Amino acid sequence: MENYSALNLPFDATSDEIRSAYFDAARKHHPDANNGEDNGRRFIEVQQAYDVLSNPNRRAAYDRTLPAAAKTPPEVKVSVSFSRTTLHKSEKPQMIYALLEVECLKTSGSDKLPPAHVCIILDHSSSMRGERLDMVRSNILQLLHKMKPTDVISIITFSDRAEVLIPPTVVADVKRPESQLYGIGPGGATEIFQGLELGFEVFRRFAGRSNFLKHLILITDGQTYGDEERCYELAERSNSEGISINALGIGHEWNDVFLDRLASFSGGKSIYIRNKEDLAQFIEQKIQTLSVNYARKTELHLELPNDIHLTDAFRIFPDGNPLEVLSPIQLGVLDYGRKTSVILEFKIDRLPVERTIGEIARGKILFEVPTKSIPIERLFINLERPVQE
């Protein structure tokens, strides 16, 4: 494995970032700490990468062996605008809003687009009988017909237990999808964790090429009971693997708060599906998205002064969706030639009279570009406003 990728680092990583990434990766992959497959191999890769990158001479020699494309700066621009031109010196709380725009300056070339792995997690509990299940079947077939032949599809069905209907298969090699889909019958209760867990395992087992864009689509018409926290934990794990979750709620019985939060952990979105036209529109948009993704797993890392708090975050483009105010904030995918726009709400507890510049936050935006040999890229940001009486 390439040394920067082994530590999940950008090419221009600082010595402090290298040290911090090494300790994080060593804890994660040490055989004594985690008994998963390949941990011994991954731990050795992490150690070897650190030995090279932590030594300035060895790092310089290694960098000379890399292709020029690996060392090019990100073709991404970040801009910030504020709701106020200045802050006020005050012992009282005040609010300020920031519009953060992350724009990809690169246009796509169809011959360079990475393939996608789409995993559909389909609720087939008793409440999905009849028109709802028929609607989903026909739209999944539409999705299959419009995906690229090199893309990969997998389908999981769940109620109170989960099964693999179609294992990860290159779209060009999928046989008899109609008979498989129409063989699904309704029955059982809704336990969303069962479906999500199996879907996550399918992604893990199907390593494929590392540059696959990974999309998980959860389709359900009901609520899950008692396993919400486990679903959230799994969504966080999925995000660390670069898996984007989109949650589709059919009808009126599903829990919108739960699905909103579930999707937000990976920078995905939740959608209310009222009828077959809504579902068809989502499928069409998803196909377009598969063709224009430049970067996945776009994250906003912020450090705030003690008297400032990030109280809310909302993505307004390309898909409106609330975002979890956690560190890091998951912004979702970044598309070729397009912006991702996010509104951030900050509460400032107090601004002492001696301050002339109000630092609101500083940090960085990390994103992963599957087509690059060193996929991790990073841009620094600094949010501040002048302070007046």
Side-chain angles (χ1 to χ4, degrees):
M1 177 178 282
E2 192 279 320
N3 287 327
Y4 289 97
S5 299
L7 295 178
N8 207 36
L9 286 168
F11 173 73
D12 60 350
T14 65
S15 57
D16 286 343
E17 288 176 319
I18 293 170
R19 189 178 306 107
S20 176
Y22 166 68
F23 287 123
D24 288 344
R27 281 193 296 268
K28 179 179 178 181
H29 296 292
H30 196 286
D32 293 342
N34 193 325
N35 295 320
E37 295 181 9
D38 294 330
N39 277 321
R41 176 183 60 81
R42 285 288 290 115
F43 181 73
I44 291 172
E45 290 174 346
V46 166
Q47 187 64 57
Q48 290 174 338
Y50 181 69
D51 289 344
V52 171
L53 299 183
S54 62
N55 182 302
N57 293 329
R58 294 187 66 188
R59 181 181 181 181
Y62 173 72
D63 287 350
R64 288 194 290 271
T65 69
L66 297 173
K71 297 178 270 189
T72 57
E75 295 183 85
V76 174
K77 180 179 72 173
V78 178
S79 59
V80 183
S81 52
F82 296 91
S83 60
R84 296 164 53 182
T85 56
T86 60
L87 299 174
H88 298 286
K89 296 178 181 180
S90 174
E91 296 295 320
K92 296 181 179 180
Q94 54 187 302
M95 308 293 293
I96 188 169
Y97 296 86
L99 172 62
L100 176 71
E101 295 185 303
V102 186
E103 181 179 6
C104 177
L105 304 176
K106 186 178 177 65
T107 56
S108 64
S110 58
D111 58 326
K112 298 180 180 179
L113 292 173
H117 179 181
V118 177
C119 179
I120 297 173
I121 312 294
L122 175 58
D123 179 356
H124 72 114
S125 57
S126 298
S127 58
M128 283 286 289
R129 71 174 69 253
E131 182 181 352
R132 289 181 178 179
L133 203 49
D134 287 341
M135 173 180 69
V136 171
R137 291 187 187 109
S138 62
N139 276 279
I140 291 176
L141 290 173
Q142 277 294 103
L143 176 65
L144 270 168
H145 291 151
K146 294 185 177 183
M147 290 174 69
K148 298 195 300 291
T150 54
D151 290 336
V152 169
I153 187 76
S154 54
I155 300 178
I156 309 296
T157 60
F158 76 95
S159 53
D160 44 20
R161 65 189 184 93
E163 296 178 333
V164 178
L165 180 70
I166 297 179
T169 307
V170 175
V171 168
D173 296 334
V174 174
K175 309 297 183 185
R176 299 181 297 106
E178 292 88 352
S179 61
Q180 292 171 291
L181 286 168
Y182 282 92
I184 303 170
T190 302
E191 293 186 24
I192 290 177
F193 178 76
Q194 299 288 338
L196 286 177
E197 183 179 44
L198 185 55
F200 180 75
E201 284 305 312
V202 163
F203 274 120
R204 293 294 301 271
R205 289 189 220 130
F206 179 74
R209 301 209 311 270
S210 61
N211 68 340
F212 267 83
L213 295 166
K214 304 172 187 176
H215 298 268
L216 187 153
I217 301 174
L218 168 67
I219 305 175
T220 181
D221 72 339
Q223 302 198 30
T224 193
Y225 297 96
D227 61 359
E228 290 88 348
E229 289 302 321
R230 290 199 295 167
C231 289
Y232 295 148
E233 290 170 6
L234 193 58
E236 289 189 89
R237 288 172 58 201
S238 297
N239 177 65
S240 69
E241 300 285 338
I243 301 169
S244 173
I245 298 177
N246 293 280
L248 279 60
I250 298 177
H252 301 282
E253 296 82 17
W254 55 282
N255 186 334
D256 58 337
V257 175
F258 167 70
L259 290 189
D260 279 351
R261 190 173 184 213
L262 186 72
S264 71
F265 278 110
S266 67
K269 62 178 178 179
S270 61
I271 300 172
Y272 169 41
I273 302 295
R274 296 166 296 181
N275 49 46
K276 62 182 180 181
E277 287 77 19
D278 284 350
L279 187 52
Q281 183 180 24
F282 168 81
I283 294 298
E284 191 64 35
Q285 291 175 344
K286 176 53 64 178
I287 289 297
Q288 294 173 5
T289 299
L290 294 179
S291 301
V292 297
N293 287 165
Y294 167 74
R296 61 190 177 192
K297 198 180 173 186
T298 309
E299 298 179 341
L300 173 61
H301 297 248
L302 288 179
E303 297 178 10
L304 286 75
N306 291 332
D307 53 0
I308 297 181
H309 312 280
L310 177 62
T311 53
D312 202 4
F314 194 92
R315 186 179 59 230
I316 59 176
F317 190 83
D319 301 300
N321 218 77
L323 302 177
E324 280 291 302
V325 184
L326 299 172
S327 183
I329 298 171
Q330 305 302 325
L331 304 183
V333 297
L334 181 60
D335 292 341
Y336 282 100
R338 299 176 74 183
K339 293 180 181 179
T340 292
S341 303
V342 178
I343 291 286
L344 304 172
E345 178 186 77
F346 295 94
K347 179 186 177 185
I348 304 171
D349 290 337
R350 57 186 293 272
L351 273 179
V353 294
E354 66 272 12
R355 297 273 287 274
T356 58
I357 294 293
E359 181 187 74
I360 300 167
R362 65 174 61 240
K364 58 189 176 183
I365 295 173
L366 282 173
F367 45 94
E368 188 174 327
V369 183
T371 54
K372 296 194 69 172
S373 56
I374 301 178
I376 301 300
E377 297 194 332
R378 181 251 290 116
L379 293 169
F380 291 105
I381 59 171
N382 186 21
L383 309 184
E384 59 182 30
R385 290 281 83 187
V387 177
Q388 67 176 19
E389 296 290 347

